[in-house]
Structure formats: structure tokens, C-alpha cells
Amino acid sequence: MKTGIVTNDTCLNHDTGHGHPERADRVSVIVENLKKIKNKNLVWKKSKKFDPKYLEITHNINYIKKVKKSFPKKGLFFLDGDTIISPGSKEASSDAVGSIITAIDGVQNKEFQNAFCAVRPPGHHAEKNKAMGFCIYNNVAVGAHYLLEKYKLNKIAIIDFDVHHGNGTQDIFYNNEKVLYISTHQYPYYPGTGGNNEKGKHNNVLNIPLPAGTTSEEYLNAYEHVLKKLKQFNPEFILFSAGFDAHKDDPLAQLQLTSKDFYHLTKRTLNLAKLYCEGKVVSILEGGYDLNALKESTTMHVDALLEFSK
Ligand SMILES: [Zn+2]
């Protein structure tokens, strides 16, 4: 079996304006570096077109219409204070959603064992009715709905290790017992949600808030709670909201992880995925704003995925 990497040049045309941390270089450095991995088990794919109904299950139709009308013909447009779109954002945001659908199909059709989507814009802050925090469509949420609807699965786990709480993903699945949402994040911090009293209507949300300054050892100890919850839930498929901004060098937050920690957390999760869901895992890029840290950390993450694709 193999590991899929899904990416698109279109995501480079999502222009967020000068000096914005969520910039095209993020994906360029990741892709450039992954291309250096000489491993015949790495399969490169582009996003395919998808049925818009999966986007419409995730977001309110009026929100989707509003976003579509907002893409400017030229210049930039602000969906919220820090979520900026340009003419190229239309295709980029659609292909970001398409990437997770392409990756899921690849895993379900046994083209590869697992996959990583190196795309932008990210998605986990986007709520059913709201763009937020650099996110337009909630890519990982569309992926989970796609697994439920197209493949008729009943138990999807989303693990969000981005340093920020994925308020959007939590919002979308708060009342949905078929989807377990687990997040580790700096707290209190942007976006303000993610306290451990937010548990989901069916106890299907686990928030693991961590103070600024949390070290590798403390983080990996806390991650044991993620694994424990995952075992209890017994998922049929695991999705990663893979943000790498918990890295110690990241300019937007204050956790202290090293690049290698992303290898460890991925490997520990995949050990369970192998036992519980035949190793079916799809990961999609969220945050990560120090280019060097992002390059190293994504390579560690993909190294672990490749180990399990043997
Ligand atoms: Zn983040």
C-alpha cells in the first residue's frame, strides 16, 4: 500500500495580501520538501471536482451563495477581519475541499493506505454560517460528511492538533453522534472556544486545552487522552486536522513542540488506526506559519504515514 499526497497549484493563487501569515509559500515549501522524499510508495494526486451537495451538507446554502458572490474580480475582499479572499481564492477554496474528497476516495478504493492533503485555505475555524480565522470552507468537515453520506460510514473521528481550537468543526458536529471531534490546543487563546466543559451533545467532543508554554513531554502525555477517547469510540475512519502551529518556532502561538513530536503523535494515532479502522487515515493541512518548522513538521508527519503504508 501507499501514501497519497494531494495538492494543487491553484492554492498558490489564493492571495491573502502582503504580510499575511497564511500565505502561498506555506504550501510551496511543503510540496518542494516532500518531493525530495524518494519513496516509490508516495503517490501524488490533484483534487478532482466534487458534487456540491457535500459542501451544502456542511455549510448553510445562503452562506455558500454569499461566499461565491464575494470572490472579487480583482483586488482583495475581507470575509472577516483576517479572512481575505482574492480572484484566485474561488478555485483554491473549492480545490481544498476537493482534495479531501480525492484523498478519501483513494483510501476507500485502496489506491493508497492513507493520505495527506497539502492545500490552503485551511478550514477548521469555518462554521456552518461563518468564515473565520483564514478559513472559508471547513474542508475536514466536508470530508467527514462525505464519509457518512457516500460511504455510509457511521463513526468518523476527527483529531485536530492545530494549536488553535477548531471552533468551526466543533460547531458543525456538536450534535452529531456519528462524528467524534477531539482537539488539543493552546487555551485560553484564539478563537476563545475549546474549554473542557464543551463535550458535544452525545459526549462526542473532547477538548484538551493546554496552557502557553506546554512542552513536548507535557503535550505527548496529554495526547494519551486523545488515544484513550479514540479507543472508546472505535472509529471506522480517522481524519486529521493537521495544523503545525503548536511548534515552538511558530510566530502565532506559544506551545513548545519540536518537529519530531509530529512524527510521534502521528505514529501513536496510526498504531490505533491499524487496530480499529484498517489504518484508514486522511490528513489535511490547517495552520503552521514558520516556514522552516512547517517544512520539517510536515515531513515528519508524512514519514509516519509512509511507515504505516507498508
Ligand atoms: Zn492554527
Side-chain angles (χ1 to χ4, degrees):
M1 289 294 277
K2 297 169 188 297
T3 291
I5 302 287
V6 188
T7 190
N8 308 290
D9 290 342
T10 54
C11 74
L12 307 178
N13 302 329
H14 167 51
D15 181 4
T16 48
H18 183 71
H20 196 289
E22 202 294 284
R23 59 206 191 272
D25 289 359
R26 298 177 60 239
V27 170
S28 316
V29 297
I30 293 171
V31 167
E32 234 167 74
N33 209 52
L34 293 179
K35 283 200 168 144
K36 291 183 193 153
I37 300 178
K38 296 289 174 233
N39 188 318
K40 61 179 176 21
N41 290 330
L42 209 55
V43 186
W44 290 82
K45 301 280 284 186
K46 280 194 165 85
S47 297
K48 57 185 182 190
K49 298 283 174 240
F50 61 93
D51 188 330
K53 76 177 181 190
Y54 298 111
L55 190 59
E56 290 160 17
I57 303 170
T58 305
H59 293 286
N60 187 296
I61 187 73
N62 291 326
Y63 170 72
I64 297 170
K65 282 182 185 162
K66 189 188 102 180
V67 168
K68 284 189 172 159
K69 270 194 262 172
S70 303
F71 293 115
K73 292 248 178 342
K74 58 178 185 179
L76 303 175
F77 180 83
F78 284 67
L79 284 175
D80 88 339
D82 48 23
T83 311
I84 301 166
I85 50 175
S86 65
S89 306
K90 187 175 184 178
E91 215 180 348
S93 56
S94 175
D95 281 349
V97 173
S99 73
I100 197 159
I101 286 181
T102 306
I104 287 169
D105 284 342
V107 170
Q108 289 295 90
N109 301 332
K110 299 193 166 23
E111 192 181 343
F112 32 78
Q113 174 65 55
N114 52 40
F116 175 60
C117 304
V119 292
R120 60 188 282 278
H124 74 151
H125 294 304
E127 297 185 354
K128 200 166 174 59
N129 285 310
K130 190 159 89 177
M132 195 174 149
F134 319 159
C135 302
I136 302 165
Y137 300 131
N138 195 314
N139 307 317
V140 80
V142 180
H145 278 135
Y146 185 63
L147 283 163
L148 297 175
E149 294 295 317
K150 160 98 188 209
Y151 292 105
K152 307 293 176 207
L153 299 191
N154 288 304
K155 282 182 167 193
I156 315 300
I158 300 174
I159 300 175
D160 184 337
F161 59 80
D162 189 280
V163 80
H164 303 97
H165 181 240
N167 59 292
T169 315
Q170 175 171 297
D171 168 68
I172 290 164
F173 295 115
Y174 206 76
N175 299 325
N176 190 337
E177 62 194 331
K178 293 181 176 181
V179 179
L180 169 67
Y181 176 68
I182 310 179
S183 175
T184 59
H185 46 270
Q186 183 171 328
Y187 186 87
Y189 203 50
Y190 182 89
T193 49
N196 50 17
N197 58 332
E198 296 163 23
K199 293 175 187 294
K201 192 176 171 197
H202 308 277
N203 205 22
N204 58 311
V205 170
L206 174 63
N207 283 308
I208 303 177
L210 300 163
T214 293
T215 63
S216 295
E217 195 189 347
E218 289 163 341
Y219 181 88
L220 291 173
N221 285 338
Y223 201 79
E224 291 300 316
H225 297 287
V226 174
L227 300 174
K228 192 174 155 203
K229 183 79 176 175
L230 206 53
K231 277 187 208 167
Q232 287 166 357
F233 183 71
N234 189 11
E236 295 170 293
F237 205 107
I238 296 173
L239 300 172
F240 273 123
S241 251
F244 298 89
D245 41 9
H247 195 284
K248 63 183 171 48
D249 294 337
D250 197 275
L252 293 198
Q254 290 80 38
L255 296 199
Q256 298 296 317
L257 302 200
T258 64
S259 304
K260 189 82 184 171
D261 294 330
F262 294 99
Y263 171 82
H264 291 305
L265 76 88
T266 308
K267 189 170 169 173
R268 288 180 193 186
T269 312
L270 295 185
N271 276 328
L272 285 189
K274 205 172 172 180
L275 290 174
Y276 289 85
C277 57
E278 300 157 8
K280 291 179 178 181
V281 172
V282 165
S283 176
I284 186 161
L285 182 66
E286 299 283 359
Y289 304 98
D290 178 85
L291 294 184
N292 195 51
L294 185 60
K295 183 176 84 176
E296 282 182 12
S297 305
T298 48
T299 305
M300 291 290 171
H301 184 57
V302 171
D303 277 349
L305 290 172
L306 267 170
E307 260 181 52
F308 279 82
S309 69
K310 276 176 198 155

